[in-house]
């Protein structure tokens, strides 16, 4: 099994499609590679199927027009919890003081339903971890290394040719292009463009 980020992104996309088979209103995952290397304490720092299902809750909330978080996305409210329960996620009775109901866990039924998906994704994540742990200081890490990002969730502004911008973790952008739906050109970090000129 290849351990490159595009392969892991493909596995994440397949796992997302498996969730969509049970929840048809879930929108497509536009950039699976955006989850690789991204950390969010409110949504779970470690990439796993449980984290992917958590992100799917946000996707369904967006599709329904439901505001499921507050405090800049850190506090997950009871509307988030209601959708999480629909998807097979449970939470302790009391919300966390700063993140609300964000720390959800797979219930037994969801573990059974998604067992093959969970196992396949765990294998891909393990292979990816082994491959990235084997990197040496001589490995080229791309723009993320030049901007000093550890991939820990610090987002910077990336722009495209038509002037649109997104906030992205530099290490995620270094792994594979994120393409603008308006002009079809890849987003890039302006400092990288200026340094190259």
């Amino acid at each position: 099994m290849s351990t490159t980020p595009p392969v892991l992104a493909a596995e994440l996309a397949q796992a997302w499609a498996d969730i969509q088979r049970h929840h048809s209103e879930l929108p497509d995952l536009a950039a699976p590679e955006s989850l690789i290397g991204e950390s969010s304490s409110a949504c779970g720092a470690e990439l796993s199927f449980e984290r992917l299902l958590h992100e799917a809750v946000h996707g369904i909330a967006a599709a329904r027009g439901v505001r499921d978080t507050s405090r800049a996305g850190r506090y997950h409210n009871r509307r988030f919890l209601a959708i999480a329960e629909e998807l097979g996620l449970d939470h302790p009775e009391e919300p966390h003081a700063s993140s609300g109901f964000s720390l959800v866990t797979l219930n037994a039924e969801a573990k059974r339903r998604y067992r093959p998906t969970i196992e396949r994704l765990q294998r891909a994540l393990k292979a990816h971890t082994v491959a990235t742990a084997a990197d040496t200081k001589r490995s080229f890490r791309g723009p993320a290394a030049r901007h000093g990002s550890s991939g820990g969730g610090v987002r910077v502004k990336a722009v495209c040719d038509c002037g649109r911008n997104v906030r992205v973790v530099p290490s995620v952008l270094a792994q594979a292009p994120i393409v603008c739906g308006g002009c079809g050109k890849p987003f890039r970090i302006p400092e990288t463009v200026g340094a190259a000129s």
Side-chain angles (χ1 to χ4, degrees):
M1 171 187 308
S2 173
T3 56
T4 60
V7 172
L8 179 53
E11 289 294 341
L12 287 165
Q14 181 58 54
W16 191 266
D18 291 348
I19 298 168
Q20 284 179 311
R21 280 202 319 270
H22 297 282
H23 303 280
S24 60
E25 68 184 307
L26 178 63
D28 291 339
L29 183 59
E33 62 275 6
S34 67
L35 295 172
I36 303 170
E38 183 178 336
S39 174
S40 167
S41 58
C43 296
E46 186 177 319
L47 186 54
S48 64
F49 181 76
E50 196 168 76
R51 165 96 186 277
L52 194 64
L53 203 56
H54 176 122
E55 296 298 337
V57 173
H58 291 304
I60 288 177
R64 292 178 182 174
V66 172
R67 185 170 178 191
D68 62 340
T69 63
S70 58
R71 300 181 197 164
R74 289 185 308 275
Y75 191 87
H76 292 57
N77 59 34
R78 290 193 183 277
R79 290 181 293 274
F80 170 86
L81 182 58
I83 298 170
E85 289 171 347
E86 289 177 38
L87 270 68
L89 294 166
D90 289 333
H91 188 277
E93 289 294 319
E94 294 300 314
H96 185 273
S98 62
S99 62
F101 296 100
S102 69
L103 302 175
V104 289
T105 56
L106 284 168
N107 66 27
E109 181 184 336
K111 285 178 185 176
R112 280 190 302 276
R113 174 186 300 150
Y114 294 111
R115 184 175 178 200
T117 304
I118 293 167
E119 290 172 354
R120 190 179 65 241
L121 186 58
Q122 283 176 334
R123 283 192 303 273
L125 287 165
K126 183 178 178 183
H128 177 73
T129 300
V130 168
T132 54
D135 281 352
T136 66
K137 290 187 180 193
R138 294 177 45 91
S139 297
F140 177 68
R141 302 294 294 178
R146 292 195 303 275
H147 292 283
S149 171
S150 64
V154 178
R155 296 171 192 230
V156 297
K157 184 164 108 175
V159 296
C160 67
D161 285 353
C162 68
R164 296 176 72 208
N165 66 72
V166 295
R167 293 277 176 186
V168 63
V169 177
S171 62
V172 171
L173 194 59
Q175 292 167 0
I178 299 175
V179 179
C180 173
C183 68
K185 303 287 183 174
F187 284 95
R188 63 194 177 283
I189 299 169
E191 294 82 8
T192 303
V193 174
S197 310

